[in-house]
Amino acid sequence: MQFINPATLYDPRPNGYTHVVVAHAPARLVYIAGQGGEDVNGVLSEDFATQVAQALGNLRAALHAAGATVAQVAKVTALIVDHDEAKLAIFSTALRAAWGDAPPPACTLIPVPRLALDGMLFEIEATATSA
């Protein structure tokens, strides 16, 4: 994949994403359904940061099941209930930490009033390539 941040756009890397990602064909595409902050027993923490950390862990587990890693993620979409700057900072920090030295994916963040489950504050889905 090719990760591009055009000089004519602001630098998105401090927020943990890339403006443009080009996946070269042929490729095996992996679509990961929205992962929330539920643990293996379906329990949600009431804390936003804890849900974000759990959701990113769940995302890594789903990618692993498909034979992929975060380095192969082209795009994520994040949904945040009652989005504000404090939640953006938590999410951006967690996303940068989860990707480490790998190029960050393209990202769209969508503020929402509610998610599928009562108490769910965060959800993230991904599209990746895999060999």
Side-chain angles (χ1 to χ4, degrees):
M1 287 190 292
Q2 183 180 8
F3 296 81
I4 306 166
N5 286 309
T8 55
L9 299 175
Y10 83 95
D11 184 0
R13 291 173 294 180
N15 291 323
Y17 72 97
T18 297
H19 281 298
V20 180
V21 178
V22 179
H24 299 278
R28 180 173 163 250
L29 295 178
V30 178
Y31 298 94
I32 305 295
Q35 299 299 306
E38 312 90 1
D39 67 16
V40 70
N41 297 310
V43 176
L44 283 165
S45 168
E46 293 181 13
D47 178 65
F48 178 77
T50 302
Q51 284 196 29
V52 170
Q54 181 67 52
L56 289 171
N58 294 346
L59 176 61
R60 281 190 299 277
L63 288 165
H64 178 75
T69 68
V70 294
Q72 294 165 288
V73 173
K75 170 95 169 54
V76 296
T77 300
L79 307 168
I80 296 178
V81 173
D82 297 327
H83 171 67
D84 60 24
E85 291 296 318
K87 288 179 179 174
L88 176 61
I90 290 167
F91 170 58
S92 295
T93 299
L95 196 62
R96 285 192 315 271
W99 261 254
D101 292 334
C107 177
T108 299
L109 187 155
I110 303 171
V112 295
R114 177 178 162 74
L115 289 165
L117 303 174
D118 288 341
M120 192 174 187
L121 303 174
F122 179 80
E123 185 173 7
I124 188 166
E125 67 176 33
T127 302
T129 63
S130 176

